[in-house]
PDB file of all heavy atoms in Angstrom:
ATOM      1  N   GLY A 730      -2.008 -41.187  82.328  1.00 71.00           N
ATOM      2  CA  GLY A 730      -1.467 -42.402  81.951  1.00 71.00           C
ATOM      3  C   GLY A 730      -0.409 -42.949  82.813  1.00 71.00           C
ATOM      4  O   GLY A 730       0.046 -44.053  82.625  1.00 71.00           O
ATOM      5  N   ARG A 731       0.219 -42.004  83.551  1.00 72.00           N
ATOM      6  CA  ARG A 731       1.399 -42.308  84.390  1.00 72.00           C
ATOM      7  C   ARG A 731       0.968 -42.742  85.845  1.00 72.00           C
ATOM      8  O   ARG A 731       1.887 -42.921  86.705  1.00 72.00           O
ATOM      9  CB  ARG A 731       2.400 -41.244  84.498  1.00 72.00           C
ATOM     10  CG  ARG A 731       2.876 -40.920  83.021  1.00 72.00           C
ATOM     11  CD  ARG A 731       4.111 -39.953  83.108  1.00 72.00           C
ATOM     12  NE  ARG A 731       4.678 -39.671  81.762  1.00 72.00           N
ATOM     13  CZ  ARG A 731       5.756 -38.821  81.641  1.00 72.00           C
ATOM     14  NH1 ARG A 731       6.360 -38.455  82.614  1.00 72.00           N
ATOM     15  NH2 ARG A 731       6.199 -38.712  80.351  1.00 72.00           N
ATOM     16  N   VAL A 732      -0.228 -42.812  86.136  1.00 70.00           N
ATOM     17  CA  VAL A 732      -0.727 -43.021  87.599  1.00 70.00           C
ATOM     18  C   VAL A 732      -0.418 -44.506  87.868  1.00 70.00           C
ATOM     19  O   VAL A 732      -0.739 -45.377  87.059  1.00 70.00           O
ATOM     20  CB  VAL A 732      -2.123 -42.714  87.803  1.00 70.00           C
ATOM     21  CG1 VAL A 732      -2.673 -43.049  89.115  1.00 70.00           C
ATOM     22  CG2 VAL A 732      -2.457 -41.241  87.507  1.00 70.00           C
ATOM     23  N   SER A 733       0.230 -44.754  89.082  1.00 71.00           N
ATOM     24  CA  SER A 733       0.361 -46.110  89.452  1.00 71.00           C
ATOM     25  C   SER A 733      -0.027 -46.184  90.960  1.00 71.00           C
ATOM     26  O   SER A 733      -0.170 -45.150  91.689  1.00 71.00           O
ATOM     27  CB  SER A 733       1.973 -46.509  89.364  1.00 71.00           C
ATOM     28  OG  SER A 733       2.811 -45.688  90.191  1.00 71.00           O
ATOM     29  N   PRO A 734      -0.074 -47.407  91.653  1.00 71.00           N
ATOM     30  CA  PRO A 734      -0.390 -47.482  93.038  1.00 71.00           C
ATOM     31  C   PRO A 734       0.619 -46.717  93.831  1.00 71.00           C
ATOM     32  O   PRO A 734       0.222 -46.123  94.940  1.00 71.00           O
ATOM     33  CB  PRO A 734      -0.440 -48.940  93.278  1.00 71.00           C
ATOM     34  CG  PRO A 734      -0.711 -49.599  91.866  1.00 71.00           C
ATOM     35  CD  PRO A 734      -0.084 -48.729  90.854  1.00 71.00           C
ATOM     36  N   GLU A 735       1.801 -46.638  93.517  1.00 72.00           N
ATOM     37  CA  GLU A 735       2.933 -45.978  94.324  1.00 72.00           C
ATOM     38  C   GLU A 735       2.714 -44.511  94.403  1.00 72.00           C
ATOM     39  O   GLU A 735       3.007 -43.819  95.326  1.00 72.00           O
ATOM     40  CB  GLU A 735       4.219 -46.421  93.914  1.00 72.00           C
ATOM     41  CG  GLU A 735       4.646 -47.861  94.207  1.00 72.00           C
ATOM     42  CD  GLU A 735       3.912 -48.785  93.130  1.00 72.00           C
ATOM     43  OE1 GLU A 735       3.529 -48.276  92.039  1.00 72.00           O
ATOM     44  OE2 GLU A 735       3.807 -50.060  93.266  1.00 72.00           O
ATOM     45  N   ASN A 736       2.499 -43.897  93.188  1.00 71.00           N
ATOM     46  CA  ASN A 736       2.412 -42.415  92.945  1.00 71.00           C
ATOM     47  C   ASN A 736       1.142 -41.885  92.870  1.00 71.00           C
ATOM     48  O   ASN A 736       0.973 -40.757  92.517  1.00 71.00           O
ATOM     49  CB  ASN A 736       3.264 -41.951  91.877  1.00 71.00           C
ATOM     50  CG  ASN A 736       2.751 -42.350  90.559  1.00 71.00           C
ATOM     51  OD1 ASN A 736       1.684 -43.102  90.428  1.00 71.00           O
ATOM     52  ND2 ASN A 736       3.575 -42.160  89.527  1.00 71.00           N
ATOM     53  N   ARG A 737       0.071 -42.763  93.077  1.00 69.00           N
ATOM     54  CA  ARG A 737      -1.376 -42.227  92.725  1.00 69.00           C
ATOM     55  C   ARG A 737      -1.654 -40.993  93.555  1.00 69.00           C
ATOM     56  O   ARG A 737      -2.228 -40.047  92.944  1.00 69.00           O
ATOM     57  CB  ARG A 737      -2.341 -43.386  93.250  1.00 69.00           C
ATOM     58  CG  ARG A 737      -3.694 -43.094  93.026  1.00 69.00           C
ATOM     59  CD  ARG A 737      -4.614 -44.157  93.400  1.00 69.00           C
ATOM     60  NE  ARG A 737      -6.127 -43.867  93.150  1.00 69.00           N
ATOM     61  CZ  ARG A 737      -6.706 -43.988  92.015  1.00 69.00           C
ATOM     62  NH1 ARG A 737      -6.018 -44.363  91.001  1.00 69.00           N
ATOM     63  NH2 ARG A 737      -7.977 -43.589  91.875  1.00 69.00           N
ATOM     64  N   ARG A 738      -1.323 -40.813  94.731  1.00 68.00           N
ATOM     65  CA  ARG A 738      -1.685 -39.699  95.630  1.00 68.00           C
ATOM     66  C   ARG A 738      -1.102 -38.488  95.211  1.00 68.00           C
ATOM     67  O   ARG A 738      -1.684 -37.419  94.999  1.00 68.00           O
ATOM     68  CB  ARG A 738      -1.370 -40.010  97.196  1.00 68.00           C
ATOM     69  CG  ARG A 738      -1.807 -38.882  98.017  1.00 68.00           C
ATOM     70  CD  ARG A 738      -1.524 -39.143  99.440  1.00 68.00           C
ATOM     71  NE  ARG A 738      -1.844 -38.012 100.369  1.00 68.00           N
ATOM     72  CZ  ARG A 738      -1.675 -38.032 101.586  1.00 68.00           C
ATOM     73  NH1 ARG A 738      -1.177 -39.186 102.299  1.00 68.00           N
ATOM     74  NH2 ARG A 738      -2.020 -36.923 102.336  1.00 68.00           N
ATOM     75  N   SER A 739       0.249 -38.592  94.849  1.00 73.00           N
ATOM     76  CA  SER A 739       0.947 -37.415  94.533  1.00 73.00           C
ATOM     77  C   SER A 739       0.651 -36.847  93.095  1.00 73.00           C
ATOM     78  O   SER A 739       0.422 -35.594  92.780  1.00 73.00           O
ATOM     79  CB  SER A 739       2.483 -37.656  94.515  1.00 73.00           C
ATOM     80  OG  SER A 739       2.985 -38.204  95.741  1.00 73.00           O
ATOM     81  N   VAL A 740       0.545 -37.864  92.182  1.00 73.00           N
ATOM     82  CA  VAL A 740       0.100 -37.569  90.760  1.00 73.00           C
ATOM     83  C   VAL A 740      -1.388 -36.915  90.724  1.00 73.00           C
ATOM     84  O   VAL A 740      -1.551 -35.934  90.086  1.00 73.00           O
ATOM     85  CB  VAL A 740       0.210 -38.743  89.814  1.00 73.00           C
ATOM     86  CG1 VAL A 740      -0.314 -38.338  88.435  1.00 73.00           C
ATOM     87  CG2 VAL A 740       1.664 -39.208  89.711  1.00 73.00           C
ATOM     88  N   LEU A 741      -2.296 -37.512  91.366  1.00 69.00           N
ATOM     89  CA  LEU A 741      -3.628 -36.950  91.479  1.00 69.00           C
ATOM     90  C   LEU A 741      -3.609 -35.586  92.101  1.00 69.00           C
ATOM     91  O   LEU A 741      -4.420 -34.787  91.685  1.00 69.00           O
ATOM     92  CB  LEU A 741      -4.481 -37.713  92.271  1.00 69.00           C
ATOM     93  CG  LEU A 741      -4.859 -39.230  91.634  1.00 69.00           C
ATOM     94  CD1 LEU A 741      -5.828 -40.058  92.579  1.00 69.00           C
ATOM     95  CD2 LEU A 741      -5.513 -39.084  90.242  1.00 69.00           C
ATOM     96  N   HIS A 742      -2.770 -35.186  93.073  1.00 70.00           N
ATOM     97  CA  HIS A 742      -2.614 -33.892  93.541  1.00 70.00           C
ATOM     98  C   HIS A 742      -2.125 -32.967  92.621  1.00 70.00           C
ATOM     99  O   HIS A 742      -2.683 -31.792  92.349  1.00 70.00           O
ATOM    100  CB  HIS A 742      -1.553 -33.887  94.795  1.00 70.00           C
ATOM    101  CG  HIS A 742      -1.465 -32.541  95.245  1.00 70.00           C
ATOM    102  ND1 HIS A 742      -2.298 -31.944  96.157  1.00 70.00           N
ATOM    103  CD2 HIS A 742      -0.371 -31.687  95.127  1.00 70.00           C
ATOM    104  CE1 HIS A 742      -1.735 -30.665  96.409  1.00 70.00           C
ATOM    105  NE2 HIS A 742      -0.525 -30.613  95.877  1.00 70.00           N
ATOM    106  N   VAL A 743      -1.332 -33.285  91.769  1.00 76.00           N
ATOM    107  CA  VAL A 743      -0.706 -32.488  90.600  1.00 76.00           C
ATOM    108  C   VAL A 743      -1.842 -32.393  89.531  1.00 76.00           C
ATOM    109  O   VAL A 743      -2.084 -31.249  88.997  1.00 76.00           O
ATOM    110  CB  VAL A 743       0.490 -33.169  89.879  1.00 76.00           C
ATOM    111  CG1 VAL A 743       0.918 -32.405  88.592  1.00 76.00           C
ATOM    112  CG2 VAL A 743       1.642 -33.146  90.923  1.00 76.00           C
TER     113      VAL A 743
END
Side-chain angles (χ1 to χ4, degrees):
R731 300 189 179 189
V732 175
S733 65
E735 293 78 16
N736 64 5
R737 180 179 180 83
R738 180 177 179 182
S739 301
V740 175
L741 290 181
H742 175 76
V743 176

